[in-house]
Amino acid sequence: MERLTTRLVDELRSGNHDSFAELVELYKDGVFAIAYKILYDRGEAEDAAQETFIRAYTRIDTYDPQYKFKTWLYRIATNVAIDRLRKRKPEYSMDAEIAGTDGLTYQDHLADEAPQPDAQVVHREIRGEMHEAIKQLPDKYRIPLLLKYVDDLSLKEISVMIDMPVATVKTRIFRGREMLKTIFQNREGFN
């Protein structure tokens, strides 16, 4: 995929603007995933992904081929999402009760593709607990942790994306994991 990406970027820099559509197609899911993991809102994540591609298109001349295009693009996506997060008005909670529904929450309306009802309940509980625990982490720990364990990026790639030394990234991931352990250990009945 790197060869294809390199060819498409070269074509785009040479004036073939159609190659950008192919780049978008290759990376749209990853860019959306990065934005969603930071923003926790589908609509905002879609807007952030679109803004990411606009910035990448207008700044393609700043891309340094010595780095992976994916890392450069994901760094833009991370920055766009973080900017949106900072500007965001207070949000509603997915666990907030929907008025007039006898206790149903927004989380209850999310589609879940688990085939077995009992597995679905367990999966929802675990996912909900993990989601809540991760949301409690400060952004400076949550974002590197998600990039490492959800997006499976290397420490170097994360370092480039969030413009931070590798040692700092490593420390923040470690501290984020320790904070998650503490959160789960402090929950009632968890040993």
Side-chain angles (χ1 to χ4, degrees), residues 3 19 22 25 28 43 59 82 98 106 126 136 142 150 154 156 162 165 177 187 190:
R3 278 194 209 162
S19 60
E22 291 182 57
E25 194 59 37
K28 68 181 180 184
R59 299 176 184 170
I82 289 171
I98 301 171
Y106 292 101
I126 292 170
Q136 291 177 34
R142 182 172 53 88
V150 177
S154 71
K156 184 171 172 51
I162 60 178
R177 286 177 39 200
R187 291 189 182 216
F190 186 84

Side-chain angles (χ1 to χ4, degrees), residues 83-98:
D83 287 348
R84 286 178 166 271
L85 190 62
R86 288 182 184 139
K87 294 174 187 173
R88 180 187 278 177
K89 294 180 182 178
E91 63 182 63
Y92 65 89
S93 170
M94 292 300 288
D95 294 330
E97 192 174 312
I98 301 171

Side-chain angles (χ1 to χ4, degrees), residues 91-187:
E91 63 182 63
Y92 65 89
S93 170
M94 292 300 288
D95 294 330
E97 192 174 312
I98 301 171
T101 61
D102 285 341
L104 287 177
T105 65
Y106 292 101
Q107 183 83 25
D108 295 332
H109 289 287
L110 294 177
D112 196 348
E113 298 176 11
Q116 300 294 323
D118 55 342
Q120 189 174 13
V121 170
V122 170
H123 178 72
R124 185 179 293 146
E125 286 177 9
I126 292 170
R127 186 180 67 202
E129 288 178 20
M130 185 58 80
H131 175 74
E132 285 306 311
I134 290 171
K135 277 178 55 176
Q136 291 177 34
L137 296 177
D139 290 342
K140 69 181 187 177
Y141 300 120
R142 182 172 53 88
I143 293 168
L145 201 66
L146 289 171
L147 293 173
K148 173 71 177 155
Y149 293 108
V150 177
D151 291 328
D152 199 30
L153 296 177
S154 71
L155 295 174
K156 184 171 172 51
E157 289 173 318
I158 297 168
S159 169
V160 171
M161 284 176 64
I162 60 178
D163 195 24
M164 187 176 296
V166 172
T168 305
V169 170
K170 205 174 193 178
T171 300
R172 289 195 177 175
I173 289 170
F174 174 79
R175 288 185 181 158
R177 286 177 39 200
E178 291 301 308
M179 291 172 91
L180 283 175
K181 284 180 192 175
T182 302
I183 290 168
F184 280 108
Q185 287 172 348
N186 290 336
R187 291 189 182 216

Side-chain angles (χ1 to χ4, degrees), residues 5-18:
T5 299
T6 301
R7 181 181 58 81
L8 292 171
V9 169
D10 289 344
E11 287 177 10
L12 179 59
R13 283 181 158 172
S14 298
N16 179 357
H17 300 288
D18 293 335

